[in-house]
Amino acid sequence: MQVRNKTILVTGATGGIGALLCRQLAARGARLVLNCTSPEKLSMLRAELGAEHIAIPADVSTPVGRQSIVRVCSDAGGIDGLVNLAGILDFNMFQNQESALIARILEVNTVAPVLLTRELLPMLIGRNEARILNVGSIFGSIGHPGFTVYCASKAAIKTFSEALSRELADTGVSVAYIAPRATSTALNGDRVTALNLALGNKTDTPALVAVSIADMFEGNSRRRFLGWPEKLFVHINALLPAVVHKALVKNLPIIKKHAL
Ligand SMILES: NC(=O)c1ccc[n+]([C@@H]2O[C@H](COP(=O)([O-])OP(=O)(O)OC[C@H]3O[C@@H](n4cnc5c(N)ncnc54)[C@H](OP(=O)(O)O)[C@@H]3O)[C@@H](O)[C@H]2O)c1
């Protein structure tokens, strides 16, 4: 779907990937509804992008936050697109993770985008053409030690996207899922960056990922995995999970060392 003259809501708009994605979409002629929890970060981003864009500080994981997002979208005359990008991550061995943080990851990464999509769906279905793009992760397809809950949160979004795209096939709303690999943003923190270096994992720039997300939003594809060889590993893991299991289990001592 071409974004020119379209109104698109982006959650997580001020993040490492989000700010660059918003620059891309704005440069391609979209009017944006920008969301994250921080009013200060949003006003800086809006000052950079232009006053035609709208900022709505709100926690997407709360009913009140989503209500205010839906109200602003409605006041803006409705939206043509939604990018569910807001996300959080915690790198730790599962047995050491606090229950509250486990629940928070699932709330922000999974429950929030599912409910926001549901709450905005009447508005999107009201358009002749609309698009929902959910941002997952390569870890949504490959269960990785040290990231168990994050993996589960993104796997749910992957299957949600697939099911919803089929359910809405007789409407004007298309649903897509894009899965970046490791990307150099604040999401990862020092320990994940050190782990990626130790494991020889490649890391993309947020600029490259932002362009890929904007391109996917403007295209027709329903699913995309970013990065080579990660996209190959996704397919190997689906067909021959024992092979990937063995390779990842070999890395356990390194993963445990960095998780401490
Ligand atoms: N970086 C990677 O390696 C990587 C790889 C694969 C997939 N991804 C996915 O890409 C997305 C963006 O990641 P990123 O690297 O850009 O992360 P980031 O730099 O940490 O940005 C995250 C964004 O989400 C917002 N956010 C967090 N919790 C929120 C909430 N409850 N309500 C509204 N906004 C919220 C943050 O703003 P506030 O905290 O100010 O609200 C920020 O704008 C995430 O879904 C992530 O899982 C990232």
Side-chain angles (χ1 to χ4, degrees):
M1 187 181 87
Q2 297 296 302
V3 300
R4 177 158 296 282
N5 297 325
K6 300 280 169 47
T7 303
I8 300 166
L9 166 63
V10 181
T11 70
T14 57
I17 296 170
L20 297 176
L21 170 66
C22 290
R23 261 183 229 164
Q24 274 293 320
L25 295 172
R28 297 178 192 202
R31 180 174 67 139
L32 301 173
V33 180
L34 310 162
N35 161 256
C36 79
T37 62
S38 158
E40 296 78 23
K41 287 191 219 161
L42 283 172
S43 46
M44 276 168 63
L45 183 62
R46 183 163 175 257
E48 180 203 322
L49 297 179
E52 67 274 30
H53 305 287
I54 300 159
I56 171 65
D59 182 341
V60 77
S61 71
T62 65
V64 170
R66 287 191 301 277
Q67 269 163 25
S68 55
I69 295 172
V70 173
R71 198 178 322 113
V72 162
C73 290
S74 173
D75 292 348
I79 56 166
D80 306 281
L82 163 63
V83 182
N84 279 311
L85 180 69
I88 57 172
L89 174 149
D90 178 53
F91 166 46
N92 211 335
M93 304 317 283
F94 180 58
Q95 64 179 356
N96 297 332
Q97 268 178 329
E98 298 286 342
S99 301
L101 184 53
I102 290 172
R104 183 82 191 133
I105 295 168
L106 293 169
E107 274 164 18
V108 175
N109 294 2
T110 311
V111 179
V114 167
L115 291 180
L116 184 65
T117 299
R118 173 65 190 87
E119 287 154 21
L120 288 167
L121 203 51
M123 220 182 272
L124 292 163
I125 287 178
R127 300 295 217 224
N128 284 336
E129 188 192 20
R131 189 152 170 83
I132 299 166
L133 179 49
N134 295 318
V135 180
S137 164
I138 288 289
F139 280 3
S141 299
I142 300 177
H144 196 290
F147 299 89
T148 49
V149 178
Y150 180 77
C151 291
S153 73
K154 295 297 188 177
I157 284 300
K158 174 165 75 81
T159 308
F160 167 71
S161 307
E162 184 178 270
L164 190 64
S165 80
R166 293 170 183 171
E167 189 169 312
L168 296 178
D170 59 358
T171 74
V173 184
S174 67
V175 182
Y177 172 81
I178 187 163
R181 66 175 172 187
T183 308
S184 49
T185 71
L187 183 88
N188 288 319
D190 294 344
R191 287 181 301 115
V192 177
T193 304
L195 176 70
N196 283 330
L197 272 174
L199 295 179
N201 292 340
K202 290 187 187 147
T203 301
D204 283 326
T205 64
L208 183 138
V209 174
V211 170
S212 303
I213 296 174
D215 287 349
M216 181 144 185
F217 196 94
E218 290 210 290
N220 301 317
S221 62
R222 283 188 291 273
R223 195 163 74 165
R224 195 166 165 213
F225 300 99
L226 300 181
W228 187 265
E230 284 78 0
K231 63 174 79 172
L232 174 66
F233 292 159
V234 165
H235 295 297
I236 296 175
N237 195 44
L239 293 171
L240 302 164
V243 173
V244 177
H245 179 90
K246 205 168 156 193
L248 290 180
V249 167
K250 229 192 259 174
N251 292 336
L252 255 183
I254 300 175
I255 296 166
K256 283 186 173 172
K257 191 177 125 204
H258 286 82
L260 292 175

